[in-house]
Amino acid sequence: MLNSKKITASVLLFLATAPQNLKAAGFIEDSHGTLMFRNFYFDRDYKGETNVSARREWAQGFILNIKSGFTEGPVGFGLDLQGMWGVKLDSSRDRTGTNLLPVDRHSGKAQDEYAELGLTGKLRYSQTELYVGTVAPQLPILISSPARLLWQTFKGGYLQSKDIQGLTLHSGYLNRMNQRDSTNYQKITIAAPNGRFNGAAESDEFIFFGGDYKYSQDLTLSYFHARLDEIYQQNYFSFIHQKKIGPGELKTEMRYFISDEEGEGKAGSVDNQNLGLAFSYSMGPHRLTLSGHLLSGDTAMPYIASSEPHTISEYALSSEFINNDEHYWNVRYDYNFAALGIPGLRTMFRFMKGTNINLPERLGGKNQSETERDIEIAYALQSGPLKGLALRLRNARYQNSFAPNASTRDDNETRINIDYTWKIW
């Protein structure tokens, strides 16, 4: 396991060994470095019949990002470095499992600290860039999760091209993943809450390609294809349309996933279609969103373990609402307090409900349901020496009708984040 001294030594070596001829060519001049301080408190208090009363931990994270510029010439070269270090502030054996800290498999205790170092080589030709090494895709078919102390990362290659006006193309090949609470890279697996798939099935290859096309000023179209070798394949279609209506703006979004098993289907049968629609109207500091999705097919929707599924229910705190045959709807209200003279202060209220859920008999069988209520308050300093210091408080109340032995249980969850990013240069 890497520690803070090893990360510091690697950073110094990275800077000291940069060739002089690169310094004059933009490799150093266009570089920049930041250090994020992330303080994270996670409290999930379970209700009802459960063998675990709570998942509750507190930790401090440090995320260092050093990004070089590109060398001059038709083909530019660069190198990025990312160092991440997590430190335990509070935990106990009966409260682990928040994914903030690694847990020792023998003692059951959270580790006092953990760290990792990632290097990414990059190449640029015209408006096309290739990244090889440590990557963290933020794409509809794979969102590398930033939802805990440290980020989820992957090993492989990622290509992005903007050479065609209005069109952004993406493609990539990944063969290993590093989870949010881990220092070790492992083969890629599928998310399997409530045993919906075989979560132990592993793959050495995740391939994807696709793109976003800005058809007009108001309309953006997207298509992506992804394949987790021998486990599942997925096609994604979407459109986003924005239009001024009255005093505000209406945003309409459609997301459609079609998923099947791939090759040997090592994780079991995969047969799912997820069609989602969202309508959002913004007027001044107010935004009201109504959305929902319908799942069909014989299974739940698949996605990479610990990543964030890009569904209409994205970033729900306690559930993803993508069980077999689930019918989901949500109402959300956002308010920006800048209108009241408090820039940087925002709040959000959201209610979500899923019905018609088809679970195995051991978990309750057909016609199950789940609900979640989220409240969020966020504030970021807008000026002064600590400009950018951000406080985020989120609370969720989750309930379902599943059997007591389901892995998703009723809970009351609170997350508190304090983030500050220091610009080194």
Side-chain angles (χ1 to χ4, degrees):
M1 180 181 70
L2 294 171
N3 56 35
S4 56
K5 293 181 180 178
K6 290 182 179 179
I7 288 180
T8 302
S10 298
V11 173
L12 294 175
L13 179 64
F14 169 76
L15 296 175
T17 58
Q20 294 300 314
N21 63 322
L22 295 182
K23 293 181 181 180
F27 184 88
I28 294 298
E29 286 88 338
D30 296 332
S31 68
H32 61 274
T34 61
L35 177 61
M36 172 185 275
F37 302 86
R38 167 171 283 185
N39 190 276
F40 203 127
Y41 175 74
F42 184 106
D43 184 342
R44 181 174 288 168
D45 182 17
Y46 291 111
K47 306 299 181 182
E49 298 181 36
T50 174
N51 58 345
V52 178
S53 62
R55 306 286 190 193
R56 185 179 302 120
E57 292 181 306
W58 183 28
Q60 176 66 47
F62 304 87
I63 303 174
L64 175 69
N65 277 298
I66 297 178
K67 297 182 180 295
S68 79
F70 288 94
T71 59
E72 293 181 349
V75 180
F77 298 90
L79 183 65
D80 295 344
L81 178 147
Q82 182 184 70
M84 297 192 288
W85 179 32
V87 180
K88 179 177 69 177
L89 299 179
D90 179 68
S91 179
S92 69
R93 186 182 302 173
D94 61 336
R95 295 187 278 110
T96 59
T98 65
N99 298 127
L100 293 186
L101 299 162
V103 178
D104 186 278
R105 65 177 63 183
H106 301 295
S107 68
K109 294 182 179 179
Q111 296 180 9
D112 292 334
E113 62 173 333
Y114 66 115
E116 61 180 89
L117 181 68
L119 291 172
T120 307
K122 55 188 182 180
L123 178 152
R124 181 176 67 188
Y125 176 75
S126 186
Q127 296 297 309
T128 297
E129 296 181 2
L130 172 66
Y131 298 86
V132 178
T134 299
V135 295
Q138 298 293 299
L139 298 170
I141 40 72
L142 176 59
I143 299 178
S144 179
S145 176
R148 292 296 189 273
L149 188 69
L150 305 182
W151 282 59
Q152 178 189 40
T153 58
F154 293 82
K155 287 290 188 186
Y158 170 48
L159 181 73
Q160 182 186 84
S161 176
K162 297 181 179 180
D163 281 303
I164 302 174
Q165 185 177 0
L167 178 64
T168 302
L169 296 173
H170 307 265
S171 63
Y173 167 88
L174 309 175
N175 60 14
R176 290 294 184 273
M177 67 179 184
N178 192 344
Q179 301 295 48
R180 302 169 296 190
D181 57 350
S182 173
T183 60
N184 301 314
Y185 278 91
Q186 63 188 70
K187 294 184 178 183
I188 303 174
T189 59
I190 189 173
N194 293 326
R196 59 176 64 152
F197 302 110
N198 176 12
E202 297 179 327
S203 177
D204 289 304
E205 184 178 274
F206 182 76
I207 296 175
F208 61 87
F209 60 84
D212 306 299
Y213 179 57
K214 195 169 183 62
Y215 180 80
S216 67
Q217 189 64 30
D218 300 327
L219 179 63
T220 300
L221 307 173
S222 299
Y223 168 75
F224 283 85
H225 174 81
R227 187 189 77 200
L228 183 58
D229 191 45
E230 304 294 348
I231 295 183
Y232 77 87
Q233 61 179 341
Q234 191 170 75
N235 290 287
Y236 169 81
F237 306 84
S238 77
F239 73 78
I240 298 176
H241 184 262
Q242 294 174 276
K243 185 176 180 61
K244 289 282 187 180
I245 296 181
E249 182 178 79
L250 176 66
K251 177 181 178 181
T252 304
E253 183 171 6
M254 184 276 291
R255 301 176 187 177
Y256 184 39
F257 292 86
I258 304 174
S259 308
D260 303 282
E261 72 259 25
E262 200 283 325
E264 296 183 8
K266 293 180 179 178
S269 175
V270 178
D271 175 27
N272 180 265
Q273 299 83 49
N274 181 343
L275 176 61
L277 285 172
F279 302 93
S280 177
Y281 189 74
S282 300
M283 184 176 63
H286 308 277
R287 185 170 77 242
L288 179 65
T289 303
L290 300 175
S291 63
H293 63 222
L294 295 176
L295 275 71
S296 58
D298 296 330
T299 70
M301 177 180 155
Y303 65 97
I304 299 297
S306 293
S307 68
E308 304 291 338
H310 183 66
T311 61
I312 291 297
S313 59
E314 63 183 354
Y315 295 109
L317 296 185
S318 294
S319 178
E320 341 97 304
F321 294 90
I322 52 174
N323 295 286
N324 187 14
D325 290 331
E326 186 158 9
H327 296 176
Y328 164 85
W329 63 271
N330 129 14
V331 57
R332 170 174 172 159
Y333 173 72
D334 293 80
Y335 184 78
N336 187 339
F337 283 86
L340 297 180
I342 314 177
L345 179 62
R346 298 172 180 270
T347 189
M348 179 273 287
F349 303 90
R350 177 168 61 172
F351 179 80
M352 296 167 280
K353 187 174 182 64
T355 59
N356 197 56
I357 299 170
N358 184 4
L359 293 177
E361 289 299 326
R362 61 182 177 81
L363 301 180
K366 297 182 178 180
N367 296 319
Q368 302 302 307
S369 64
E370 56 183 341
T371 60
E372 181 175 327
R373 180 271 300 152
D374 291 347
I375 300 175
E376 177 178 322
I377 300 174
Y379 179 67
L381 290 177
Q382 301 298 294
S383 60
L386 292 179
K387 180 181 178 180
L389 178 67
L391 171 66
R392 188 181 186 190
L393 170 64
R394 288 169 289 175
N395 179 265
R397 182 69 175 96
Y398 173 78
Q399 294 177 298
N400 66 43
S401 63
F402 307 166
N405 58 336
S407 61
T408 307
R409 298 180 290 276
D410 292 3
D411 65 69
N412 191 359
E413 181 174 317
T414 299
R415 303 185 192 185
I416 302 174
N417 290 97
I418 302 175
D419 292 347
Y420 176 67
T421 300
W422 172 45
K423 185 177 180 180
I424 304 173
W425 77 88

